[in-house]
Amino acid sequence: MHTRVRIGSWEIQAERVQNEKAVYLYDRSKVAMGRYAIVFVLAKNLAPGTQSISATLAPALRDDKGRIYNYSNPLTTDRSSMIY
């Protein structure tokens, strides 16, 4: 948390974690069976020009047990995450 890490042309910093029972995107909601951990990350592009972080890096969420949370398959229900 609050530590800046440089990965390629990006400077990444985990800012805070928030636990919620439900998440909302526009008019849709998704209620958790337990709780959602929402991780807020600051990302700064240090390269000239504009680029998308998902086009230049492969962001992933890893827990303290080393498990990688898959966000690329929307049908995954076990240890899934979404990146927005």
Side-chain angles (χ1 to χ4, degrees), residues 56-75:
T56 55
L57 294 179
L61 181 63
R62 183 176 62 190
D63 67 13
D64 61 343
K65 295 178 182 170
R67 294 178 294 196
I68 302 293
Y69 288 68
N70 181 359
Y71 71 91
S72 60
N73 182 354
L75 301 177

Side-chain angles (χ1 to χ4, degrees), residues 22-84:
V23 293
Y24 303 89
L25 181 63
Y26 300 108
D27 62 343
R28 297 184 334 192
S29 67
K30 189 167 183 179
V31 178
M33 295 299 287
R35 305 277 299 171
Y36 287 112
I38 302 170
V39 181
F40 292 85
V41 176
L42 299 176
K44 181 179 180 182
N45 179 12
L46 301 174
T50 59
Q51 58 183 304
S52 166
I53 191 168
S54 59
T56 55
L57 294 179
L61 181 63
R62 183 176 62 190
D63 67 13
D64 61 343
K65 295 178 182 170
R67 294 178 294 196
I68 302 293
Y69 288 68
N70 181 359
Y71 71 91
S72 60
N73 182 354
L75 301 177
T76 300
T77 56
D78 186 314
R79 300 189 334 257
S80 64
S81 65
M82 307 269 298
I83 295 181
Y84 287 103

Side-chain angles (χ1 to χ4, degrees), residues 9-28:
S9 64
W10 291 92
E11 187 176 80
I12 309 295
Q13 175 180 326
E15 185 64 21
R16 68 184 169 110
V17 177
Q18 186 172 320
N19 292 304
E20 297 290 341
K21 180 66 180 165
V23 293
Y24 303 89
L25 181 63
Y26 300 108
D27 62 343
R28 297 184 334 192

